[in-house]
Amino acid sequence: MLDAGTKAQLKAYLDRISQPVEIVASVDDSKASGDLLSLLKDVSDSSSLVTVIESREDNHRKPSFSINKPSENHGPRFAGIPMGHEFTSLILALLQVGGYPPKVEQAVLQQIRDLDGDFEFEIYISLTCHNCPDVVQALNLMAVQNPRIRTTMIDGSLFQDEVKERQIMAVPTVFLNGTEFGQGRMSLEEILAKIDTSGVEREAKKIAAKEPFDVLIVGGGPAGAAAAVYAARKGIRTGIASERFGGQVLDTLGIENFISIKETEGPKFALALEEHVRTYDVDIMNLQRAAALVPGDGYVELKLESGASLKSRTVIISTGARWRNINVPGEHEYKNKGVAYCPHCDGPLFKGKRVAVIGGGNSGVEAAIDLAGIVGHVTLVEFDTKLRADEVLQRKLRSLANVEVVLNAQTTEITGDQQKVNGLVYKDRSTGEVRQVPLEGVFVQIGLVPNTDWLKGTVELSRHGEIVVDDRGQTSVPGVFAAGDATTVPFKQIIIAAGDGAKAALGAFDHLIRTPAPAPQVERSLEAVA
């Protein structure tokens, strides 16, 4: 199953385990079961501490397997063959069951162990989904730490009857005790916050008790991370309040234009950002959504949706942007029931089916090209009279036999049968004729909208909702700076956002040294750079 190079890497990882690991495989006579046993043999051959036990009598999904300590049975289960993006999930589960400590704060591990209740998680994934491993790995870790938590990764392509019965049209989709728990990327902290509400309250109290910052950054994407590094290197009290560290980068599959890094994937890049920031004295407050900004005399107050608030002498807003909705009937109703925004993640769920892509820019054309290799037919709908994507992408698109391009078309509705999407309605803008396209999926790819709704009436915004900044990143409010995709700076690129973050941090520091400190604790934090 594994090539020689991968086997060597696997052996190097499994040399880190310190206690026996028992893999119990539930199999039948299918080819998939044979492939799974081949993979598990490669695993057991890589470590003398790993034993594989074959079972044909149990009632588990076939093929599947669980990873446990001997005499235990609550370890992570994989229903399918965890290759592709999920191979890392397999390795981490083996390491953690085998005694290798996870890279998670002890307070979080203790929170998991203290959870009161029985939790049965099922995670439906596709092996091409780059968002799925984070969820699988978080839940696997929880199962290793707490015997009352059980988790099963389920490859939707192997268990299509379940996917159809449960009407799963987006991955990852998580069920808890038989009821849908969530969809899309979720971090360990986000999962804990949903099932341990007392933990959210405890965190809000801790945040509310924090001393004022010199620089407080709102948002943890490339702009926020760069701002944090540059601010912390000045020796001033620096904090980040972020809804999810990494921001939109977490939803980006391939990154090939960040200078000095030939190619990487968004989740890996986001992890590298966080690891870099953590090498400095930065107070990272994750899972904190901003609610309001209140300028004051000497300090700016940031109110959070949790009810807590923070104060800082300067603030850098780097809240980024989100996928733009088309805002037509049916979009909200059928989100994750046929309406999707990530072709890489959800494309495999539409294998052999008819789908539409809305948007003729680079993202839309790239999505159509990717989907054409998976689905039965793609209809690309573009509002303009021509595509706006790069010519090289358009040439590739035109070469695909199962792609139809509809120009000068306004999408007016996404239709469904109350359970899932069954069509798209558009108006021909040249003739006014209304047409309906029968299909099973709609991928929306029409650009981004800045995450600035919470700032209306506080700082100056452009007509597009972007934060107006000057050449130093300064907003219309003294002491409040902004950087990245949420601002009026053109060309929304990762490398530009990172540069903007650095510039805003330098601008904030310049503001600090030219403004009298309002409180002794801020003066003390500036002594290091005086």
Side-chain angles (χ1 to χ4, degrees):
M1 171 63 74
L2 303 178
D3 59 38
T6 305
K7 288 180 182 178
Q9 292 178 345
L10 178 61
K11 184 179 186 308
Y13 279 116
L14 296 188
D15 282 345
R16 304 176 186 181
I17 67 175
S18 58
Q19 57 193 29
V21 175
E22 194 172 84
I23 300 177
V24 180
S26 177
V27 294
D28 52 23
D29 295 324
S30 66
K31 180 182 182 303
S33 288
D35 291 341
L36 175 60
L37 289 174
S38 177
L39 170 63
L40 296 181
K41 183 179 185 304
D42 288 341
V43 171
S44 62
D45 288 346
S46 299
S47 174
S48 60
L49 290 174
V50 177
T51 303
V52 176
I53 301 172
E54 183 178 332
S55 173
R56 292 175 178 264
E57 303 299 328
D58 59 46
N59 296 320
H60 290 292
R61 298 174 178 89
K62 295 179 174 63
S64 68
F65 64 95
S66 62
I67 303 175
N68 300 287
K69 298 174 184 177
S71 77
E72 293 185 357
N73 64 356
H74 64 88
R77 175 169 287 276
F78 294 81
I81 306 169
M83 297 299 290
H85 288 296
E86 293 300 342
F87 188 62
T88 301
S89 302
L90 169 61
I91 293 174
L92 287 174
L94 289 164
L95 289 174
Q96 291 165 14
V97 174
Y100 191 78
K103 294 180 179 179
V104 176
E105 294 179 4
Q106 285 301 315
V108 175
L109 295 178
Q110 192 60 50
Q111 184 182 2
I112 296 169
R113 297 176 192 131
D114 291 342
L115 287 171
D116 185 20
D118 295 306
F119 304 91
E120 179 81 31
F121 289 99
E122 299 167 292
I123 318 105
Y124 288 87
I125 61 98
S126 72
L127 298 180
T128 59
C129 169
H130 62 282
N131 288 324
C132 295
D134 279 3
V135 181
V136 173
Q137 292 162 23
L139 291 171
N140 283 352
L141 183 148
M142 292 173 64
V144 173
Q145 296 294 319
N146 187 328
R148 299 181 68 180
I149 299 174
R150 296 172 184 267
T151 178
T152 304
M153 180 217 82
I154 305 164
D155 181 357
S157 67
L158 284 182
F159 297 91
Q160 293 185 15
D161 288 345
E162 289 188 38
V163 169
K164 184 176 181 180
E165 180 182 352
R166 284 181 154 174
Q167 298 180 358
I168 295 166
M169 305 189 75
V171 290
T173 292
V174 180
F175 284 80
L176 171 57
N177 297 337
T179 301
E180 188 171 309
F181 175 76
Q183 291 179 324
R185 177 186 294 277
M186 288 181 284
S187 67
L188 175 61
E189 291 81 3
E190 287 173 308
I191 294 168
L192 283 173
K194 290 188 70 172
I195 62 178
D196 183 14
T197 55
S198 62
V200 177
E201 295 171 0
R202 290 194 301 271
E203 186 64 21
K205 289 181 180 178
K206 284 171 56 179
I207 288 174
K210 291 181 183 290
E211 294 294 322
F213 292 92
D214 294 321
V215 175
L216 177 62
I217 298 144
V218 188
V229 169
Y230 269 74
R233 285 173 62 87
K234 294 295 186 182
I236 55 181
R237 179 166 163 76
T238 304
I240 291 183
S242 173
E243 188 172 351
R244 57 172 190 162
F245 207 101
Q248 191 191 349
V249 168
L250 290 167
D251 302 322
T252 303
L253 183 58
I255 299 172
E256 299 177 350
N257 56 353
F258 194 90
I259 309 306
S260 82
I261 300 175
K262 185 176 180 181
E263 60 182 69
T264 186
E265 295 178 348
K268 291 181 181 179
F269 188 81
L271 179 61
L273 289 176
E274 184 170 358
E275 288 177 344
H276 192 175
V277 172
R278 288 188 182 278
T279 61
Y280 294 94
D281 186 14
V282 177
D283 189 344
I284 298 178
M285 296 158 280
N286 207 9
L287 302 185
Q288 301 302 321
R289 185 181 178 91
L293 197 68
V294 184
D297 185 15
Y299 289 111
V300 178
E301 182 181 6
L302 175 69
K303 293 186 176 181
L304 303 171
E305 286 196 353
S306 66
S309 66
L310 295 160
K311 288 187 176 182
S312 181
R313 290 187 64 195
T314 61
V315 169
I316 299 173
I317 302 167
S318 58
T319 45
R322 62 188 183 275
W323 290 113
R324 185 182 297 277
N325 294 323
I326 51 176
N327 295 317
V328 299
E331 180 182 21
H332 176 74
E333 292 84 345
Y334 293 106
K335 184 177 180 180
N336 296 324
K337 296 298 181 183
V339 175
Y341 300 84
C342 179
H344 304 293
C345 302
D346 299 332
L349 297 175
F350 296 86
K351 184 177 181 180
K353 297 181 179 180
R354 299 162 299 176
V355 303
V357 173
I358 300 176
N362 281 351
S363 60
V365 172
E366 286 174 353
I369 292 170
D370 289 343
L371 290 167
I374 303 171
V375 305
H377 187 270
V378 180
T379 301
L380 188 149
V381 181
E382 165 56 34
F383 184 84
D384 204 349
T385 55
K386 61 181 179 180
L387 298 179
R388 293 166 284 110
D390 296 340
E391 180 57 32
V392 63
L393 295 175
Q394 293 192 43
R395 284 198 300 269
K396 176 62 177 177
L397 187 74
R398 290 192 290 267
S399 72
L400 301 173
N402 64 335
V403 176
E404 176 188 2
V405 177
V406 180
L407 300 174
N408 205 21
Q410 179 182 0
T411 301
T412 58
E413 184 181 3
I414 296 171
T415 62
D417 60 5
Q418 306 301 316
Q419 295 181 327
K420 60 183 184 299
V421 166
N422 63 16
L424 177 143
V425 179
Y426 71 87
K427 181 176 72 173
D428 186 318
R429 295 177 59 227
S430 60
T431 66
E433 182 180 357
V434 175
R435 299 175 183 175
Q436 181 162 7
V437 182
L439 42 74
E440 288 76 35
V442 177
F443 289 81
V444 181
Q445 300 282 292
I446 57 171
L448 302 170
V449 59
N451 294 316
T452 58
D453 292 345
W454 61 286
L455 292 168
K456 290 179 179 177
T458 305
V459 300
E460 182 185 357
L461 303 177
S462 73
R463 64 187 182 89
H464 299 295
E466 299 168 321
I467 304 168
V468 177
V469 292
D470 65 13
D471 57 0
R472 291 172 174 249
Q474 173 74 56
T475 72
S476 59
V477 177
V480 177
F481 296 76
D485 288 0
T487 73
T488 50
V489 172
F491 311 121
K492 312 303 185 185
Q493 298 289 308
I494 293 171
I495 196 166
I496 293 174
D500 278 352
K503 180 171 62 176
L506 295 175
F509 180 70
D510 185 68
H511 176 86
L512 286 171
I513 61 178
R514 296 173 187 276
T515 306
Q521 65 265 28
V522 180
E523 291 175 357
R524 286 199 302 271
S525 65
L526 283 173
E527 287 177 359
V529 295

